[in-house]
């Protein structure tokens, strides 16, 4: 029995087919090969077309089928992972009304701050576990305030994965996990937040039917099945934001377990059974994939907007024609500390862990007679690792101190230099796994369709491929303090 996982990323769509008996990946495909564009109509804005995602999903599945490594008729369930916090709105005919306002868009910061004040800090943190901040609810409020003609036509509000499930099945559903990441969920009452809906003046009818993450969110339509060469009627049995899904793919399901990822954005994601909330909402708490009112499982998420996107920028700007392996090799030839070159990687919108401030990416200490492109490549990866350390220290302030962090050997964690910088900057060992979001989504589909007897069974054959332990933490600690001094100076001026 085979499972199909779809990962709707910011840069591309990744799809994988997994054998449920062995958890082996039979085939994976990505579309497009180059990275998808983000539209920025104004500074601080970030949008993508949901219809573009759908076209890319179709092309990725077509590539998967053309590989001929499996029989598509054997696929029995579909799971979807998706970029978090994006706003998708459709009318009664399920037509998209505007481009999605995605996760790194900063336009709704003040709207969320005003909501936090009006609802009350203590009430927001007790019930929502977060400030409304720059999340989906605030983005919907921005549309309501600034595009009333569009708002008046909205039939349903969705997150990106809900939209792809709708295109596959014709049905629109959500889950407590999805609604919590949009800051629509009241954890105290286990229901849609009356406080948020009342304050923003939303109609409850805008929100889809709420189902558990692991459940049938619809069944593949006949016409879509024929187009994709899949069997009609198979369930979409799992939908999750990319970070809870990344944690699932690494078997991070129980309190105290921690995952990390470093794609376009960077995340540390820990599981807790406590109603965790940071008083300043610098790290955020959402319902994890296995959360329920009977058994609390909350994902505590630290997000850095500018990680892989900065590394890509450095490669494009200073390493034209080079592969990522080549820039990593050049960076490794430079001594730790990049000869005094320091980079702040905050050039992709408002950063939650910096209080939703926009300070921009910055280069400090550059010497035209000393620094070459290799120094830039190293300073970029070290700067990203230091940003992870800064965020992890916030999590530590709030009582979450991991003894080990699990990560997929993907994106920046494919770089030995970055992995070593991350381990030494945070002083926490990292276990690497050959896994990614689309594989996690496929395994989630198997859990949701009850192909597996339990969540534990879904990961019976998943093994770590490498453990990296700190070996230069004091040296990186000294460098981090210098990097943090520069960051603190910038924050004082904002």
């Amino acid at each position: 029995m085979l499972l199909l996982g779809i990962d709707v990323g910011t840069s591309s769509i990744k799809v994988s087919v997994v054998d449920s008996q062995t958890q082996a990946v039979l085939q994976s495909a990505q579309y497009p090969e180059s990275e998808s564009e983000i539209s920025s109509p104004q500074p601080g804005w970030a949008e993508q077309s949901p219809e573009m995602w759908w076209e890319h999903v179709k092309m990725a599945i077509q590539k998967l089928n053309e590989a001929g490594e499996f029989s598509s008729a054997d696929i029995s369930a579909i799971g979807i992972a998706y970029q978090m916090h994006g706003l998708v709105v459709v009318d009664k005919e399920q037509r998209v009304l505007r481009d999605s306002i995605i996760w790194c868009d900063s336009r709704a910061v003040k709207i969320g701050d005003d909501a936090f004040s009006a609802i009350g800090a203590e009430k927001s943190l007790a019930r929502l576990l977060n400030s409304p901040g720059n999340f989906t609810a605030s983005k919907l409020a921005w549309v309501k305030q600034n595009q009333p003609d569009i708002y008046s036509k909205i039939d349903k509000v969705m997150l990106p994965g809900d939209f792809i499930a709708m295109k596959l099945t014709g049905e629109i559903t959500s889950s407590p996990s999805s609604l919590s990441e949009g800051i629509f969920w009241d954890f105290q009452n286990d229901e849609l937040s009356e406080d948020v809906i009342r304050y923003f003046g939303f109609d409850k009818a805008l929100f889809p039917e709420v189902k558990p993450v692991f459940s049938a969110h619809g069944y593949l339509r006949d016409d879509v099945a024929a187009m994709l060469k899949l069997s009609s009627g198979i369930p979409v049995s799992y939908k999750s934001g990319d970070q809870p899904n990344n944690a699932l793919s690494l078997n991070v399901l129980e309190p105290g377990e921690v995952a990390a990822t470093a794609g376009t954005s960077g995340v540390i994601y820990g599981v807790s059974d406590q109603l965790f909330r940071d008083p300043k909402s610098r790290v955020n708490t959402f319902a994890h994939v296995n959360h329920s009112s009977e058994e609390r499982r909350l994902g505590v998420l630290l997000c850095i907007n500018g990680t892989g996107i900065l590394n890509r920028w450095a490669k494009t700007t200073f390493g034209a024609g080079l592969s990522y392996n080549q820039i990593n090799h050049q960076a490794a030839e430079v001594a730790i500390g990049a000869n005094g070159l320091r980079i702040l990687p905050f050039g992709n919108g408002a950063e939650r862990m910096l209080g939703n401030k926009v300070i921009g990416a910055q280069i400090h200490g550059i010497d035209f007679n000393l620094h070459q492109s290799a120094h830039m490549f190293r300073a970029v990866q070290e700067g990203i690792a230091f940003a992870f350390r800064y965020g992890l220290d916030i999590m530590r302030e709030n009582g979450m101190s991991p003894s080990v962090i699990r990560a997929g050997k993907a994106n920046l964690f494919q770089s030995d230099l970055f992995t070593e910088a991350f381990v030494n900057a945070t002083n926490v060992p990292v276990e690497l796994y050959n896994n990614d979001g689309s594989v996690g989504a496929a395994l989630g589909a198997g859990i949701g369709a009850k192909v597996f007897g339990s969540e534990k069974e879904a990961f019976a054959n998943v093994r770590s491929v490498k453990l990296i332990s700190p070996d230069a933490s004091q040296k990186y600690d000294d460098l981090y303090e210098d990097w943090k001094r520069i960051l603190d100076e910038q924050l004082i001026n904002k």
Side-chain angles (χ1 to χ4, degrees), residues 431-447:
E431 288 181 346
L432 290 178
Y433 292 78
N434 281 329
N435 227 337
D436 68 16
S438 62
V439 175
L443 294 172
I447 297 169

Side-chain angles (χ1 to χ4, degrees), residues 59 148 267 369 415 469 472:
M59 295 300 295
V267 165
N369 298 308
S415 164
S469 297

